């Protein structure tokens, strides 16, 4: 009987059956990688100096508009076109988004204009974000400004841009959330999360206009995460998870020798905790479930990510991209069977398999010889007994 092949793996941890493949990529920017997103088989990398775009993270160019690097904070892809806005733009007399097919010709779409606060004072506008919800509807957030203060925050929700004029307009119950770093706003689970605010809080606005504050640091595999540290040792103390960003529960955490910048991110269905030890060496603990983030039983890999982390994104192939300071992107993938870690791994596995087959053949030959000897002995016994 042929048993399980004893396949060899090349890894930091000899007992590991999964490999962490890590690649550092230096982009054309020397600034912070504030956002990474994938649209229409294209990667968009938001930097302090502009937006890098390409089909390969190693070969990207700045998007240009009017001879300069494009300034934008949010993109969507809809019906063969890219739509975007710039939440960092100063207030304008019209709420405008932009559309392009190839980033060479741009058009404007006016969402709202000609608003008045009084007979003599006009409304000014800023668009903090454009998103697509879980139903594929387009969501545009519009700030109505009185001076430098948002006095009304609206959500335009519609199916196609042809129906923009008949969009559902939802008035948010708290216009102040638009003033808290909405350039970083993201749509997760049909809720707009405005990252930043006071004391690390997170402003949440659902698509029905209801808003509230929450607290979160990271998002991975359908859950929000935050953590606490020991006041004395500054080591990791406890990790918490939340499905809605409001209700929190503890997860299993017993990684005590953990310092530095902690970060939780997804990787091919796993939930990973990045941390450093007291000597400054960085590691990733990889958990099968969100309830085991930080457990000492998790598979652990040493990794060289010393830069400050600003953004995380996944592609459709299970790769994770970590945007960092200094224009660095750390690309991480998980090789579950050890076939791509090194060029000679396939050869090592082949030799191991051949060795296993040789051992199996030898085992079979020995058993055949034993069976033949047993049968021959039985035949001789029968002959001596006169049964044959």
């Amino acid at each position: 009987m042929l048993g399980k092949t004893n396949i060899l793996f090349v890894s930091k941890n000899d007992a590991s059956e999964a490999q962490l493949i890590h690649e550092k990529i230096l982009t054309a920017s020397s600034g912070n990688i504030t956002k990474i997103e994938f649209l229409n088989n294209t990667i968009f990398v938001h930097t302090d100096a502009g937006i890098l775009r390409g089909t390969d993270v190693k070969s990207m160019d700045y998007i240009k508009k009017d001879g300069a690097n494009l300034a934008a904070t949010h993109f969507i892809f809809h019906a063969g076109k890219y739509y975007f806005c710039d939440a960092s733009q100063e207030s304008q007399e019209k709420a405008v988004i932009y559309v392009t097919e190839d980033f060479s010709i741009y058009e404007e779409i006016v969402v709202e204009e000609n608003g008045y606060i009084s007979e003599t004072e006009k409304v000014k506008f800023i668009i903090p974000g454009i998103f697509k919800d879980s139903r594929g509807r387009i969501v545009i957030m519009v700030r109505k400004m009185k001076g430098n203060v948002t006095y009304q925050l609206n959500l335009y929700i519609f199916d196609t841009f042809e129906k923009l004029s008949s969009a559902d307009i939802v008035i948010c119950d708290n216009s102040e959330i638009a003033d808290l770093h909405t350039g970083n706003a993201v749509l997760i689970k049909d809720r707009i999360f405005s990252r930043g605010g006071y004391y690390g809080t997170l402003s949440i606005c659902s698509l029905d206009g209801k808003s509230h504050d929450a607290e979160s640091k990271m998002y991975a595999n359908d859950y929000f995460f935050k953590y606490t540290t020991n006041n004395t040792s500054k080591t990791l103390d406890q990790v918490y998870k939340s499905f809605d960003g409001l209700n929190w529960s503890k997860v299993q955490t017993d990684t005590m020798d953990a310092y530095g910048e902690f970060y939780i991110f997804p990787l091919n269905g796993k939930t990973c905790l990045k941390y450093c030890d007291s000597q400054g060496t960085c590691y990733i603990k990889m958990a099968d479930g969100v309830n085991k983030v930080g457990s000492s039983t998790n598979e652990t890999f040493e990794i060289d990510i010393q830069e400050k982390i600003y953004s995380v994104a996944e592609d459709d192939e299970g790769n994770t991209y970590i945007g960092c300071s200094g224009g660095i992107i750390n690309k991480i993938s998980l090789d579950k069977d050890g076939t791509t870690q090194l060029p000679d791994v396939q050869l090592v596995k082949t030799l191991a398999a051949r060795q296993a087959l040789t051992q199996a053949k030898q085992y079979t030959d020995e058993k055949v010889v034993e069976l033949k000897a047993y049968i021959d002995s039985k035949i001789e016994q029968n002959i001596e007994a006169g049964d044959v």
Side-chain angles (χ1 to χ4, degrees), residues 76 78 130-131 136-140 156-161:
I76 66 167
H78 181 80
I130 180 170
F131 316 95
R137 298 181 302 173
I138 300 152
V139 180
I140 300 177
Y156 279 71
I157 305 174
F158 51 96
D159 294 324
T160 65
F161 279 92

Side-chain angles (χ1 to χ4, degrees), residues 338-354:
T339 59
T340 60
Q341 177 71 17
L342 292 173
D344 59 342
V345 169
Q346 188 60 52
L347 174 61
V348 173
K349 292 180 65 177
T350 300
L351 292 175
R354 288 177 180 173

Side-chain angles (χ1 to χ4, degrees), residues 326-345:
I328 295 173
I329 295 177
N330 288 277
K331 180 182 177 182
I332 302 176
S333 57
L334 184 62
D335 179 20
K336 294 184 177 180
D337 58 7
T339 59
T340 60
Q341 177 71 17
L342 292 173
D344 59 342
V345 169

Side-chain angles (χ1 to χ4, degrees), residues 224-270:
F224 299 94
F225 293 91
K226 64 179 181 179
Y227 61 83
T228 57
T229 56
N230 186 288
N231 291 332
T232 302
S233 65
K234 305 302 181 184
T235 57
L236 181 65
D237 181 34
Q238 184 63 57
V239 177
Y240 300 83
K241 68 173 175 48
S242 171
F243 190 70
D244 59 2
L246 295 173
N247 300 289
W248 295 90
S249 60
K250 293 181 180 180
V251 303
Q252 181 180 341
T253 306
D254 49 26
T255 304
M256 300 308 296
D257 186 27
Y259 300 80
E261 183 186 18
F262 305 105
Y263 211 93
I264 296 170
F265 63 90
L267 176 61
N268 202 359
K270 308 285 187 178

Side-chain angles (χ1 to χ4, degrees), residues 124-325:
K124 288 193 174 182
F125 303 93
I126 293 178
I127 295 186
I130 180 170
F131 316 95
K132 292 186 80 170
D133 71 3
S134 60
R135 295 162 54 183
R137 298 181 302 173
I138 300 152
V139 180
I140 300 177
M141 180 181 277
V142 178
R143 295 172 65 179
K144 291 187 175 183
M145 309 291 295
K146 181 179 180 180
N148 295 322
V149 177
T150 304
Y151 83 91
Q152 187 170 306
L153 181 64
N154 292 349
L155 300 178
Y156 279 71
I157 305 174
F158 51 96
D159 294 324
T160 65
F161 279 92
E162 289 75 17
K163 297 182 180 180
L164 174 57
S165 59
S166 59
D168 291 332
I169 301 177
V170 177
I171 300 177
C172 299
D173 62 3
N174 181 6
S175 63
E176 292 182 359
I177 66 172
D179 297 320
L180 301 178
H181 306 287
T182 47
N184 295 323
V186 295
L187 183 71
I188 303 174
K189 296 183 177 179
D190 290 343
R191 289 161 174 79
I192 298 172
F193 292 81
S194 299
R195 301 183 182 279
Y198 301 109
Y199 306 109
T201 58
L202 194 70
S203 297
I204 302 176
C205 182
S206 56
L207 299 186
D208 60 3
K210 304 297 182 183
S211 63
H212 44 260
D213 288 337
E215 186 178 1
S216 177
K217 297 289 186 182
M218 298 138 292
Y219 179 81
N221 295 324
D222 293 330
Y223 280 85
F224 299 94
F225 293 91
K226 64 179 181 179
Y227 61 83
T228 57
T229 56
N230 186 288
N231 291 332
T232 302
S233 65
K234 305 302 181 184
T235 57
L236 181 65
D237 181 34
Q238 184 63 57
V239 177
Y240 300 83
K241 68 173 175 48
S242 171
F243 190 70
D244 59 2
L246 295 173
N247 300 289
W248 295 90
S249 60
K250 293 181 180 180
V251 303
Q252 181 180 341
T253 306
D254 49 26
T255 304
M256 300 308 296
D257 186 27
Y259 300 80
E261 183 186 18
F262 305 105
Y263 211 93
I264 296 170
F265 63 90
L267 176 61
N268 202 359
K270 308 285 187 178
T271 306
C272 299
L273 169 67
K274 180 261 179 185
Y275 66 98
C276 296
D277 64 14
S278 56
Q279 303 303 311
T281 303
C282 295
Y283 300 91
I284 286 177
K285 279 192 175 293
M286 191 166 56
D288 288 328
V290 294
N291 289 323
K292 294 183 178 180
V293 174
S295 171
S296 59
T297 60
N298 292 340
E299 200 160 16
T300 304
F301 299 87
E302 182 178 334
I303 194 164
D304 179 22
I305 302 181
Q306 299 289 346
E307 310 83 25
K308 183 175 178 59
I309 297 174
Y310 284 91
S311 57
V312 172
E314 291 181 283
D315 64 14
D316 293 334
E317 298 177 356
N319 302 306
T320 294
Y321 298 78
I322 302 177
C324 299
S325 57

Side-chain angles (χ1 to χ4, degrees), residues 107-123:
E107 298 178 10
E108 291 185 356
I109 297 177
V110 177
V111 180
E112 189 174 349
E113 62 180 332
N114 299 327
Y116 285 86
I117 299 171
S118 65
E119 292 182 0
T120 58
E121 186 177 8
K122 279 189 173 183
V123 176

